Amino acid sequence: MKNIDELLSSLSLTNHISLQDIPKMDLYIDQVIELFEEGFKETKRDKKEKILTKTMVNNYAKGKLFFPVQNKKYSKEHIMLMSLIYQLKGALSIKDIKDCLQILNKEIVESDFNLGEFYESYLQLYFNNVSTFQDDLQEKAEAVREKLDSIDEKNKLEMERTLLIASLVSTSNLYRRAAEKLVDEISDEEDKS
């Protein structure tokens, strides 16, 4: 199996869009796409993959995942929300993302909510999660090796890889299910009000 340190390095876990990366002026859609392509280019599985497209942004707008755009320009707040959408769509449905971001959108439109502070908090948690993930991946890889130590097979490497994949996916599913339950709580509260 690939060295876990090499695997971690290849994941480009520190790629993100920081507040400093987002221009203070509003951007047209092509500029937004370029910002995302540059910010997340190292996270692509292959060079043809698109991080963000006009169609995606238009679908997010039609689906009301973020508050309305003014004069075909996207504000700093829109870009922060799109960055959150980019992260959330790996595990949640578009409906769940809309429910999750609904309160943020409402606060941005109706009050003086500082989305920048919220986004910075998210990034801090993200980097804490990266650190935890790196340690956890090392531990999971070691646990897999220990489980397969007794197997004397010519396909041991593939078995090790497959067992680690299954372990990572099951962990991911547990976290996704917990996130979905929290989204359901948001939806239930909205239905009651």
Side-chain angles (χ1 to χ4, degrees), residues 8 28 39 54-55 60 71 77 94-95 100 104 106 119 121 124 129 135 138 140 143 145 160 170 177 181 185:
L8 286 167
Y28 289 106
K54 288 180 183 181
T55 302
Y60 300 159
N71 301 319
E77 287 78 13
I94 293 297
K95 181 200 176 305
C100 183
L104 288 177
K106 182 179 177 185
Y119 188 72
S121 295
Q124 289 170 4
N129 291 340
D135 294 341
Q138 296 279 6
K140 284 189 184 327
R145 278 196 271 319
E160 187 177 328
S170 68
R177 288 179 56 207
K181 284 291 185 187
E185 288 178 15

Side-chain angles (χ1 to χ4, degrees), residues 41-92:
K41 68 182 172 188
E42 300 299 323
T43 64
K44 294 180 180 185
R45 284 181 77 179
D46 64 62
K47 294 191 187 298
K48 293 179 185 175
E49 180 183 349
K50 297 291 182 191
I51 299 297
L52 190 67
T53 65
K54 288 180 183 181
T55 302
M56 287 178 199
V57 175
N58 288 331
N59 287 339
Y60 300 159
K62 286 179 189 172
K64 299 184 182 189
L65 273 68
F66 52 75
F67 61 97
V69 174
Q70 300 295 320
N71 301 319
K72 297 184 180 184
K73 288 188 171 184
Y74 297 83
S75 68
K76 196 169 188 166
E77 287 78 13
H78 286 111
I79 294 168
M80 287 183 268
L81 288 169
M82 280 189 256
S83 181
L84 290 169
I85 292 166
Y86 174 74
Q87 296 300 326
L88 293 170
K89 74 178 188 172
L92 296 176

